[in-house]
């Protein structure tokens, strides 16, 4: 067990609409959801079955951060670049593997601080930093057969390990 594949890339960009148009027109990425958002666009590659393969977040320098992962109007934190790559997301096959990686990151002191474990509904994530401080995400997507109605609605973002491990996969 281990990393299955690169799930998605998240980029900070100065012009979300312009970047979304580029990735759409040149590389065939299909915007998902509210494609008109000036703050963020999530896009799927032409032949992908991923929820999203690319996310574009606007970065406005000089404004205060509104949260650890707020995509709009934030000043970079100590481990966040001003522009460019925000993070890569590696996918694993099971919630047990995600927990194992989470525990290993914690033991190594590489698990991020508050907010670095999140329940995104259809996927559950742990965030960490590599030795150079670059942010990465490791995620597990709930198999379709195990999805519940609450997985498709916004929650409080807190990852309930006991619930997820009991659901298994």
């Amino acid at each position: 067990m281990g990393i299955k594949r690169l799930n998605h890339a998240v980029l900070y960009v100065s012009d979300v609409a312009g970047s979304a148009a580029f990735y759409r027109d040149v590389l065939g990425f299909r915007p998902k959801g509210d494609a008109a958002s000036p703050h963020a666009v999530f896009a799927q590659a032409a032949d992908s079955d991923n929820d999203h393969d690319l996310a574009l977040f606007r970065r406005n320098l000089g404004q205060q951060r509104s949260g650890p992962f707020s995509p709009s109007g934030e000043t970079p934190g100590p481990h966040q670049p001003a522009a460019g790559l925000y993070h890569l997301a590696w996918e694993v096959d099971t919630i047990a593997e995600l927990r194992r990686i989470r525990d290993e990151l914690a033991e190594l002191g590489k698990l991020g601080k508050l907010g670095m474990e999140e329940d995104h509904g259809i996927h559950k994530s742990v965030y960490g930093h590599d030795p150079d401080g670059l942010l990465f995400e490791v995620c597990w997507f709930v198999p379709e057969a195990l999805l519940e109605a609450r997985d498709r609605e916004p929650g409080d973002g807190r990852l309930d390990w006991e619930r997820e491990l009991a659901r298994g996969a």
Side-chain angles (χ1 to χ4, degrees), residues 5-161:
R5 66 179 176 167
L6 177 66
N7 183 272
H8 65 268
V10 181
L11 303 177
Y12 283 127
V13 297
S14 59
D15 176 6
V16 170
S19 293
F22 170 83
Y23 282 100
R24 180 194 64 230
D25 297 344
V26 176
L27 299 177
F29 280 81
R30 298 181 304 272
K32 295 189 66 177
D34 183 6
S37 171
H39 303 293
V41 167
F42 294 86
Q44 188 178 45
D47 295 326
S48 175
D49 62 357
N50 253 357
D51 175 67
H52 66 281
D53 298 287
L54 179 67
L56 305 169
F57 288 171
R58 184 180 78 191
R59 175 52 67 93
N60 286 341
L61 298 178
Q63 294 181 349
Q64 294 300 314
R65 294 182 73 205
S66 54
F69 296 107
S70 175
S72 62
E74 63 190 42
T75 298
H79 297 291
Q80 296 176 322
L85 180 67
Y86 177 16
H87 72 263
L88 299 174
W90 304 101
E91 186 176 340
V92 294
D93 283 329
T94 67
I95 188 67
E97 180 65 5
L98 183 64
R99 180 61 185 250
R100 183 196 67 76
I101 290 170
R102 181 250 179 251
D103 291 347
E104 189 165 337
L105 287 169
E107 187 175 307
L108 294 170
K110 295 297 184 181
L111 185 64
K113 294 182 178 27
L114 182 65
M116 297 303 254
E117 302 175 348
E118 292 190 325
D119 183 337
H120 295 287
I122 63 170
H123 75 280
K124 317 307 172 187
S125 298
V126 170
Y127 296 85
H129 295 285
D130 76 1
D132 290 315
L134 297 173
L135 182 67
F136 62 89
E137 173 184 358
V138 182
C139 58
W140 171 68
F141 279 76
V142 180
E144 187 70 33
L146 298 177
L147 283 174
E148 301 169 2
R150 65 179 161 187
D151 293 318
R152 299 185 191 278
E153 298 179 15
D156 63 11
R158 288 182 288 168
L159 184 51
D160 181 345
W161 285 105

